[in-house]
Amino acid sequence: MDETEEEGQLADRIVVGIDGSGPSKAALAWAAREAKLTGLRLTAVAAWSFPTSWGWTPPPLSDYDPEQDATHMLAQTIDEVLGPDPGIELETMVVEGHPAQVLVHQSESARLVVVGSRGHGAFAGMLLGSVSEFLTAHSHCPVVVVR
């Protein structure tokens, strides 16, 4: 139980996971509408990590920066979906880690978590991606999966 629950108050934010995919853009639009309706803050979260592989791989390029790439993708997605003035209190977070784990951690201090049904890397035709499936099983608050 987090501090806000101990004090008898609910968290005052909605968390939305963004990876730049079409379903995550739909999730952002849905979460922004919900934030407007409820007056809650919206926190848009992008997770990043260094790619892992088995065996020998060449060293990363000197200008390779996955955190910067995630930051750029998040800003571009927000601008595309919500425009320059979203009309809500909006904060962004770019966090190192696996998206499922990052969003579960963020759910500890959220009233609601919103994700797309599948993001980049999902097999075509799947109803749920691995992140949305993990989140629905492990979140500390309600989850909306936008299809």
Side-chain angles (χ1 to χ4, degrees):
M1 199 179 298
D2 70 329
E3 289 178 6
T4 55
E5 290 177 289
E6 289 176 356
E7 296 170 4
Q9 300 173 348
L10 292 174
D12 67 344
R13 71 181 184 136
I14 296 170
V15 171
V16 58
I18 305 296
D19 68 1
S21 67
S24 81
K25 291 175 183 178
L28 175 59
W30 192 97
R33 282 191 304 272
E34 185 69 12
K36 277 184 184 176
L37 290 171
T38 61
L40 297 173
R41 292 181 297 132
L42 181 60
T43 303
V45 179
W48 67 273
S49 62
F50 285 102
T52 58
S53 64
W54 298 95
W56 183 87
T57 59
L61 301 172
S62 62
D63 63 345
Y64 176 65
D65 186 348
E67 181 177 15
Q68 184 179 26
D69 292 346
T71 301
H72 178 73
M73 175 279 302
L74 183 59
Q76 186 176 17
T77 301
I78 289 170
D79 188 50
E80 178 184 332
V81 174
L82 303 181
D85 182 20
I88 55 173
E89 186 179 344
L90 175 66
E91 63 183 345
T92 61
M93 295 179 68
V94 177
V95 181
E96 181 179 7
H98 188 277
Q101 293 292 340
V102 167
L103 291 171
V104 166
H105 178 70
Q106 291 300 315
S107 75
E108 294 174 3
S109 60
R111 190 168 307 179
L112 180 68
V113 177
V114 183
V115 291
S117 58
R118 57 188 171 83
H120 291 298
F123 292 106
M126 288 182 63
L127 294 177
L128 282 181
S130 60
V131 171
S132 56
E133 184 175 10
F134 186 88
L135 187 59
T136 57
H138 299 284
S139 178
H140 299 275
C141 68
V143 176
V144 171
V145 179
V146 178
R147 185 157 151 78

PDB file of all heavy atoms in Angstrom, residues 41-70:
ATOM      1  N   ARG A  41      -4.335  14.383 -13.494  1.00  0.00           N
ATOM      2  CA  ARG A  41      -3.116  14.605 -14.274  1.00  0.00           C
ATOM      3  C   ARG A  41      -2.895  13.396 -15.169  1.00  0.00           C
ATOM      4  O   ARG A  41      -3.318  12.287 -14.839  1.00  0.00           O
ATOM      5  CB  ARG A  41      -1.888  14.717 -13.363  1.00  0.00           C
ATOM      6  CG  ARG A  41      -1.843  15.921 -12.494  1.00  0.00           C
ATOM      7  CD  ARG A  41      -0.579  15.953 -11.644  1.00  0.00           C
ATOM      8  NE  ARG A  41      -0.538  14.822 -10.720  1.00  0.00           N
ATOM      9  CZ  ARG A  41       0.519  14.022 -10.546  1.00  0.00           C
ATOM     10  NH1 ARG A  41       1.617  14.193 -11.245  1.00  0.00           N
ATOM     11  NH2 ARG A  41       0.479  13.029  -9.686  1.00  0.00           N
ATOM     12  N   LEU A  42      -2.200  13.602 -16.270  1.00  0.00           N
ATOM     13  CA  LEU A  42      -1.834  12.505 -17.154  1.00  0.00           C
ATOM     14  C   LEU A  42      -0.313  12.407 -17.197  1.00  0.00           C
ATOM     15  O   LEU A  42       0.369  13.402 -17.433  1.00  0.00           O
ATOM     16  CB  LEU A  42      -2.380  12.734 -18.565  1.00  0.00           C
ATOM     17  CG  LEU A  42      -2.082  11.630 -19.586  1.00  0.00           C
ATOM     18  CD1 LEU A  42      -2.681  10.290 -19.147  1.00  0.00           C
ATOM     19  CD2 LEU A  42      -2.592  12.017 -20.961  1.00  0.00           C
ATOM     20  N   THR A  43       0.192  11.213 -16.948  1.00  0.00           N
ATOM     21  CA  THR A  43       1.626  10.951 -17.029  1.00  0.00           C
ATOM     22  C   THR A  43       1.864   9.995 -18.181  1.00  0.00           C
ATOM     23  O   THR A  43       1.416   8.855 -18.154  1.00  0.00           O
ATOM     24  CB  THR A  43       2.154  10.328 -15.720  1.00  0.00           C
ATOM     25  OG1 THR A  43       1.848  11.200 -14.629  1.00  0.00           O
ATOM     26  CG2 THR A  43       3.658  10.117 -15.794  1.00  0.00           C
ATOM     27  N   ALA A  44       2.553  10.479 -19.215  1.00  0.00           N
ATOM     28  CA  ALA A  44       2.893   9.656 -20.372  1.00  0.00           C
ATOM     29  C   ALA A  44       4.283   9.076 -20.136  1.00  0.00           C
ATOM     30  O   ALA A  44       5.237   9.815 -19.899  1.00  0.00           O
ATOM     31  CB  ALA A  44       2.858  10.488 -21.647  1.00  0.00           C
ATOM     32  N   VAL A  45       4.381   7.745 -20.194  1.00  0.00           N
ATOM     33  CA  VAL A  45       5.623   7.053 -19.847  1.00  0.00           C
ATOM     34  C   VAL A  45       6.146   6.275 -21.047  1.00  0.00           C
ATOM     35  O   VAL A  45       5.406   5.534 -21.690  1.00  0.00           O
ATOM     36  CB  VAL A  45       5.386   6.070 -18.671  1.00  0.00           C
ATOM     37  CG1 VAL A  45       6.665   5.324 -18.325  1.00  0.00           C
ATOM     38  CG2 VAL A  45       4.837   6.804 -17.455  1.00  0.00           C
ATOM     39  N   ALA A  46       7.432   6.460 -21.316  1.00  0.00           N
ATOM     40  CA  ALA A  46       8.128   5.657 -22.318  1.00  0.00           C
ATOM     41  C   ALA A  46       9.273   4.950 -21.614  1.00  0.00           C
ATOM     42  O   ALA A  46      10.005   5.560 -20.830  1.00  0.00           O
ATOM     43  CB  ALA A  46       8.661   6.527 -23.446  1.00  0.00           C
ATOM     44  N   ALA A  47       9.417   3.658 -21.861  1.00  0.00           N
ATOM     45  CA  ALA A  47      10.503   2.883 -21.269  1.00  0.00           C
ATOM     46  C   ALA A  47      11.536   2.575 -22.343  1.00  0.00           C
ATOM     47  O   ALA A  47      11.205   2.434 -23.516  1.00  0.00           O
ATOM     48  CB  ALA A  47       9.962   1.589 -20.672  1.00  0.00           C
ATOM     49  N   TRP A  48      12.782   2.471 -21.937  1.00  0.00           N
ATOM     50  CA  TRP A  48      13.849   2.152 -22.882  1.00  0.00           C
ATOM     51  C   TRP A  48      14.847   1.227 -22.197  1.00  0.00           C
ATOM     52  O   TRP A  48      14.923   1.165 -20.972  1.00  0.00           O
ATOM     53  CB  TRP A  48      14.554   3.417 -23.372  1.00  0.00           C
ATOM     54  CG  TRP A  48      15.335   4.114 -22.281  1.00  0.00           C
ATOM     55  CD1 TRP A  48      14.860   5.042 -21.403  1.00  0.00           C
ATOM     56  CD2 TRP A  48      16.704   3.903 -21.942  1.00  0.00           C
ATOM     57  NE1 TRP A  48      15.842   5.438 -20.549  1.00  0.00           N
ATOM     58  CE2 TRP A  48      16.988   4.738 -20.849  1.00  0.00           C
ATOM     59  CE3 TRP A  48      17.703   3.089 -22.441  1.00  0.00           C
ATOM     60  CZ2 TRP A  48      18.247   4.800 -20.259  1.00  0.00           C
ATOM     61  CZ3 TRP A  48      18.956   3.134 -21.852  1.00  0.00           C
ATOM     62  CH2 TRP A  48      19.219   3.984 -20.776  1.00  0.00           C
ATOM     63  N   SER A  49      15.588   0.510 -22.998  1.00  0.00           N
ATOM     64  CA  SER A  49      16.675  -0.323 -22.482  1.00  0.00           C
ATOM     65  C   SER A  49      17.666  -0.577 -23.606  1.00  0.00           C
ATOM     66  O   SER A  49      17.335  -0.431 -24.787  1.00  0.00           O
ATOM     67  CB  SER A  49      16.138  -1.640 -21.923  1.00  0.00           C
ATOM     68  OG  SER A  49      15.505  -2.378 -22.940  1.00  0.00           O
ATOM     69  N   PHE A  50      18.861  -0.935 -23.220  1.00  0.00           N
ATOM     70  CA  PHE A  50      19.846  -1.324 -24.227  1.00  0.00           C
ATOM     71  C   PHE A  50      19.444  -2.689 -24.750  1.00  0.00           C
ATOM     72  O   PHE A  50      19.046  -3.562 -23.974  1.00  0.00           O
ATOM     73  CB  PHE A  50      21.254  -1.370 -23.635  1.00  0.00           C
ATOM     74  CG  PHE A  50      21.834  -0.012 -23.413  1.00  0.00           C
ATOM     75  CD1 PHE A  50      21.862   0.549 -22.147  1.00  0.00           C
ATOM     76  CD2 PHE A  50      22.342   0.724 -24.474  1.00  0.00           C
ATOM     77  CE1 PHE A  50      22.386   1.803 -21.939  1.00  0.00           C
ATOM     78  CE2 PHE A  50      22.876   1.990 -24.276  1.00  0.00           C
ATOM     79  CZ  PHE A  50      22.899   2.533 -23.001  1.00  0.00           C
ATOM     80  N   PRO A  51      19.537  -2.909 -26.049  1.00  0.00           N
ATOM     81  CA  PRO A  51      19.159  -4.206 -26.599  1.00  0.00           C
ATOM     82  C   PRO A  51      20.082  -5.306 -26.061  1.00  0.00           C
ATOM     83  O   PRO A  51      21.260  -5.084 -25.837  1.00  0.00           O
ATOM     84  CB  PRO A  51      19.333  -4.042 -28.108  1.00  0.00           C
ATOM     85  CG  PRO A  51      19.782  -2.658 -28.349  1.00  0.00           C
ATOM     86  CD  PRO A  51      19.968  -1.971 -27.056  1.00  0.00           C
ATOM     87  N   THR A  52      19.486  -6.464 -25.840  1.00  0.00           N
ATOM     88  CA  THR A  52      20.277  -7.609 -25.398  1.00  0.00           C
ATOM     89  C   THR A  52      20.338  -8.620 -26.521  1.00  0.00           C
ATOM     90  O   THR A  52      19.460  -8.694 -27.363  1.00  0.00           O
ATOM     91  CB  THR A  52      19.654  -8.268 -24.151  1.00  0.00           C
ATOM     92  OG1 THR A  52      18.325  -8.667 -24.477  1.00  0.00           O
ATOM     93  CG2 THR A  52      19.619  -7.304 -22.982  1.00  0.00           C
ATOM     94  N   SER A  53      21.395  -9.375 -26.530  1.00  0.00           N
ATOM     95  CA  SER A  53      21.522 -10.413 -27.540  1.00  0.00           C
ATOM     96  C   SER A  53      22.414 -11.511 -26.991  1.00  0.00           C
ATOM     97  O   SER A  53      23.112 -11.332 -25.999  1.00  0.00           O
ATOM     98  CB  SER A  53      22.107  -9.846 -28.834  1.00  0.00           C
ATOM     99  OG  SER A  53      23.424  -9.399 -28.600  1.00  0.00           O
ATOM    100  N   TRP A  54      22.384 -12.620 -27.648  1.00  0.00           N
ATOM    101  CA  TRP A  54      23.221 -13.748 -27.288  1.00  0.00           C
ATOM    102  C   TRP A  54      24.355 -13.837 -28.281  1.00  0.00           C
ATOM    103  O   TRP A  54      24.170 -13.620 -29.470  1.00  0.00           O
ATOM    104  CB  TRP A  54      22.405 -15.040 -27.317  1.00  0.00           C
ATOM    105  CG  TRP A  54      21.295 -15.021 -26.328  1.00  0.00           C
ATOM    106  CD1 TRP A  54      20.000 -14.667 -26.561  1.00  0.00           C
ATOM    107  CD2 TRP A  54      21.375 -15.309 -24.953  1.00  0.00           C
ATOM    108  NE1 TRP A  54      19.259 -14.717 -25.418  1.00  0.00           N
ATOM    109  CE2 TRP A  54      20.106 -15.127 -24.398  1.00  0.00           C
ATOM    110  CE3 TRP A  54      22.406 -15.702 -24.098  1.00  0.00           C
ATOM    111  CZ2 TRP A  54      19.819 -15.337 -23.065  1.00  0.00           C
ATOM    112  CZ3 TRP A  54      22.105 -15.914 -22.769  1.00  0.00           C
ATOM    113  CH2 TRP A  54      20.843 -15.733 -22.269  1.00  0.00           C
ATOM    114  N   GLY A  55      25.528 -14.140 -27.790  1.00  0.00           N
ATOM    115  CA  GLY A  55      26.669 -14.280 -28.689  1.00  0.00           C
ATOM    116  C   GLY A  55      27.368 -12.958 -28.900  1.00  0.00           C
ATOM    117  O   GLY A  55      27.125 -11.966 -28.212  1.00  0.00           O
ATOM    118  N   TRP A  56      28.226 -12.941 -29.878  1.00  0.00           N
ATOM    119  CA  TRP A  56      29.019 -11.749 -30.154  1.00  0.00           C
ATOM    120  C   TRP A  56      28.189 -10.719 -30.895  1.00  0.00           C
ATOM    121  O   TRP A  56      27.445 -11.027 -31.810  1.00  0.00           O
ATOM    122  CB  TRP A  56      30.234 -12.127 -31.005  1.00  0.00           C
ATOM    123  CG  TRP A  56      31.111 -10.961 -31.261  1.00  0.00           C
ATOM    124  CD1 TRP A  56      32.114 -10.520 -30.457  1.00  0.00           C
ATOM    125  CD2 TRP A  56      31.051 -10.053 -32.357  1.00  0.00           C
ATOM    126  NE1 TRP A  56      32.696  -9.404 -30.986  1.00  0.00           N
ATOM    127  CE2 TRP A  56      32.059  -9.088 -32.169  1.00  0.00           C
ATOM    128  CE3 TRP A  56      30.248  -9.952 -33.483  1.00  0.00           C
ATOM    129  CZ2 TRP A  56      32.279  -8.049 -33.054  1.00  0.00           C
ATOM    130  CZ3 TRP A  56      30.479  -8.914 -34.359  1.00  0.00           C
ATOM    131  CH2 TRP A  56      31.478  -7.980 -34.141  1.00  0.00           C
ATOM    132  N   THR A  57      28.323  -9.501 -30.463  1.00  0.00           N
ATOM    133  CA  THR A  57      27.698  -8.390 -31.177  1.00  0.00           C
ATOM    134  C   THR A  57      28.717  -7.270 -31.288  1.00  0.00           C
ATOM    135  O   THR A  57      29.577  -7.120 -30.418  1.00  0.00           O
ATOM    136  CB  THR A  57      26.452  -7.840 -30.452  1.00  0.00           C
ATOM    137  OG1 THR A  57      26.845  -7.411 -29.150  1.00  0.00           O
ATOM    138  CG2 THR A  57      25.371  -8.876 -30.351  1.00  0.00           C
ATOM    139  N   PRO A  58      28.629  -6.493 -32.334  1.00  0.00           N
ATOM    140  CA  PRO A  58      29.562  -5.372 -32.437  1.00  0.00           C
ATOM    141  C   PRO A  58      29.266  -4.348 -31.355  1.00  0.00           C
ATOM    142  O   PRO A  58      28.128  -4.265 -30.870  1.00  0.00           O
ATOM    143  CB  PRO A  58      29.289  -4.808 -33.831  1.00  0.00           C
ATOM    144  CG  PRO A  58      27.940  -5.279 -34.197  1.00  0.00           C
ATOM    145  CD  PRO A  58      27.716  -6.561 -33.453  1.00  0.00           C
ATOM    146  N   PRO A  59      30.260  -3.578 -30.955  1.00  0.00           N
ATOM    147  CA  PRO A  59      29.998  -2.535 -29.956  1.00  0.00           C
ATOM    148  C   PRO A  59      29.001  -1.521 -30.501  1.00  0.00           C
ATOM    149  O   PRO A  59      28.917  -1.307 -31.711  1.00  0.00           O
ATOM    150  CB  PRO A  59      31.368  -1.903 -29.718  1.00  0.00           C
ATOM    151  CG  PRO A  59      32.236  -2.371 -30.824  1.00  0.00           C
ATOM    152  CD  PRO A  59      31.621  -3.593 -31.423  1.00  0.00           C
ATOM    153  N   PRO A  60      28.211  -0.896 -29.614  1.00  0.00           N
ATOM    154  CA  PRO A  60      27.232   0.086 -30.085  1.00  0.00           C
ATOM    155  C   PRO A  60      27.919   1.283 -30.733  1.00  0.00           C
ATOM    156  O   PRO A  60      29.052   1.621 -30.396  1.00  0.00           O
ATOM    157  CB  PRO A  60      26.490   0.502 -28.815  1.00  0.00           C
ATOM    158  CG  PRO A  60      27.322   0.052 -27.681  1.00  0.00           C
ATOM    159  CD  PRO A  60      28.227  -1.037 -28.165  1.00  0.00           C
ATOM    160  N   LEU A  61      27.214   1.888 -31.653  1.00  0.00           N
ATOM    161  CA  LEU A  61      27.718   3.091 -32.293  1.00  0.00           C
ATOM    162  C   LEU A  61      27.878   4.192 -31.251  1.00  0.00           C
ATOM    163  O   LEU A  61      27.100   4.279 -30.297  1.00  0.00           O
ATOM    164  CB  LEU A  61      26.762   3.546 -33.390  1.00  0.00           C
ATOM    165  CG  LEU A  61      26.504   2.531 -34.506  1.00  0.00           C
ATOM    166  CD1 LEU A  61      25.404   3.027 -35.419  1.00  0.00           C
ATOM    167  CD2 LEU A  61      27.780   2.265 -35.289  1.00  0.00           C
ATOM    168  N   SER A  62      28.863   5.050 -31.439  1.00  0.00           N
ATOM    169  CA  SER A  62      29.139   6.081 -30.444  1.00  0.00           C
ATOM    170  C   SER A  62      27.983   7.071 -30.293  1.00  0.00           C
ATOM    171  O   SER A  62      27.827   7.685 -29.243  1.00  0.00           O
ATOM    172  CB  SER A  62      30.424   6.822 -30.784  1.00  0.00           C
ATOM    173  OG  SER A  62      30.295   7.471 -32.036  1.00  0.00           O
ATOM    174  N   ASP A  63      27.164   7.238 -31.335  1.00  0.00           N
ATOM    175  CA  ASP A  63      26.050   8.182 -31.243  1.00  0.00           C
ATOM    176  C   ASP A  63      24.720   7.494 -30.914  1.00  0.00           C
ATOM    177  O   ASP A  63      23.674   8.133 -30.938  1.00  0.00           O
ATOM    178  CB  ASP A  63      25.929   9.004 -32.521  1.00  0.00           C
ATOM    179  CG  ASP A  63      25.609   8.165 -33.747  1.00  0.00           C
ATOM    180  OD1 ASP A  63      25.749   6.932 -33.675  1.00  0.00           O
ATOM    181  OD2 ASP A  63      25.222   8.749 -34.772  1.00  0.00           O
ATOM    182  N   TYR A  64      24.760   6.210 -30.579  1.00  0.00           N
ATOM    183  CA  TYR A  64      23.540   5.474 -30.244  1.00  0.00           C
ATOM    184  C   TYR A  64      23.114   5.837 -28.829  1.00  0.00           C
ATOM    185  O   TYR A  64      23.868   5.667 -27.870  1.00  0.00           O
ATOM    186  CB  TYR A  64      23.795   3.973 -30.364  1.00  0.00           C
ATOM    187  CG  TYR A  64      22.617   3.128 -29.941  1.00  0.00           C
ATOM    188  CD1 TYR A  64      21.428   3.162 -30.650  1.00  0.00           C
ATOM    189  CD2 TYR A  64      22.695   2.303 -28.830  1.00  0.00           C
ATOM    190  CE1 TYR A  64      20.351   2.389 -30.269  1.00  0.00           C
ATOM    191  CE2 TYR A  64      21.619   1.526 -28.438  1.00  0.00           C
ATOM    192  CZ  TYR A  64      20.449   1.569 -29.158  1.00  0.00           C
ATOM    193  OH  TYR A  64      19.375   0.814 -28.769  1.00  0.00           O
ATOM    194  N   ASP A  65      21.915   6.363 -28.676  1.00  0.00           N
ATOM    195  CA  ASP A  65      21.419   6.784 -27.371  1.00  0.00           C
ATOM    196  C   ASP A  65      19.934   6.419 -27.262  1.00  0.00           C
ATOM    197  O   ASP A  65      19.067   7.201 -27.664  1.00  0.00           O
ATOM    198  CB  ASP A  65      21.617   8.294 -27.204  1.00  0.00           C
ATOM    199  CG  ASP A  65      21.264   8.786 -25.820  1.00  0.00           C
ATOM    200  OD1 ASP A  65      20.654   8.029 -25.025  1.00  0.00           O
ATOM    201  OD2 ASP A  65      21.604   9.946 -25.519  1.00  0.00           O
ATOM    202  N   PRO A  66      19.622   5.225 -26.737  1.00  0.00           N
ATOM    203  CA  PRO A  66      18.221   4.806 -26.678  1.00  0.00           C
ATOM    204  C   PRO A  66      17.358   5.696 -25.784  1.00  0.00           C
ATOM    205  O   PRO A  66      16.169   5.858 -26.042  1.00  0.00           O
ATOM    206  CB  PRO A  66      18.290   3.371 -26.149  1.00  0.00           C
ATOM    207  CG  PRO A  66      19.616   3.258 -25.488  1.00  0.00           C
ATOM    208  CD  PRO A  66      20.527   4.215 -26.197  1.00  0.00           C
ATOM    209  N   GLU A  67      17.939   6.295 -24.762  1.00  0.00           N
ATOM    210  CA  GLU A  67      17.161   7.201 -23.916  1.00  0.00           C
ATOM    211  C   GLU A  67      16.740   8.435 -24.704  1.00  0.00           C
ATOM    212  O   GLU A  67      15.588   8.867 -24.633  1.00  0.00           O
ATOM    213  CB  GLU A  67      17.959   7.608 -22.683  1.00  0.00           C
ATOM    214  CG  GLU A  67      17.173   8.524 -21.755  1.00  0.00           C
ATOM    215  CD  GLU A  67      17.919   8.874 -20.494  1.00  0.00           C
ATOM    216  OE1 GLU A  67      19.148   8.661 -20.419  1.00  0.00           O
ATOM    217  OE2 GLU A  67      17.265   9.375 -19.558  1.00  0.00           O
ATOM    218  N   GLN A  68      17.657   8.987 -25.479  1.00  0.00           N
ATOM    219  CA  GLN A  68      17.330  10.143 -26.307  1.00  0.00           C
ATOM    220  C   GLN A  68      16.304   9.766 -27.377  1.00  0.00           C
ATOM    221  O   GLN A  68      15.384  10.539 -27.660  1.00  0.00           O
ATOM    222  CB  GLN A  68      18.589  10.700 -26.959  1.00  0.00           C
ATOM    223  CG  GLN A  68      18.340  11.959 -27.757  1.00  0.00           C
ATOM    224  CD  GLN A  68      19.619  12.503 -28.370  1.00  0.00           C
ATOM    225  OE1 GLN A  68      20.568  11.775 -28.619  1.00  0.00           O
ATOM    226  NE2 GLN A  68      19.635  13.800 -28.615  1.00  0.00           N
ATOM    227  N   ASP A  69      16.446   8.577 -27.962  1.00  0.00           N
ATOM    228  CA  ASP A  69      15.473   8.108 -28.952  1.00  0.00           C
ATOM    229  C   ASP A  69      14.075   8.004 -28.337  1.00  0.00           C
ATOM    230  O   ASP A  69      13.084   8.402 -28.943  1.00  0.00           O
ATOM    231  CB  ASP A  69      15.885   6.756 -29.531  1.00  0.00           C
ATOM    232  CG  ASP A  69      17.138   6.837 -30.387  1.00  0.00           C
ATOM    233  OD1 ASP A  69      17.553   7.954 -30.763  1.00  0.00           O
ATOM    234  OD2 ASP A  69      17.716   5.763 -30.669  1.00  0.00           O
ATOM    235  N   ALA A  70      14.000   7.458 -27.116  1.00  0.00           N
ATOM    236  CA  ALA A  70      12.702   7.317 -26.438  1.00  0.00           C
ATOM    237  C   ALA A  70      12.115   8.682 -26.102  1.00  0.00           C
ATOM    238  O   ALA A  70      10.903   8.904 -26.239  1.00  0.00           O
ATOM    239  CB  ALA A  70      12.854   6.469 -25.178  1.00  0.00           C
TER     240      ALA A  70
END
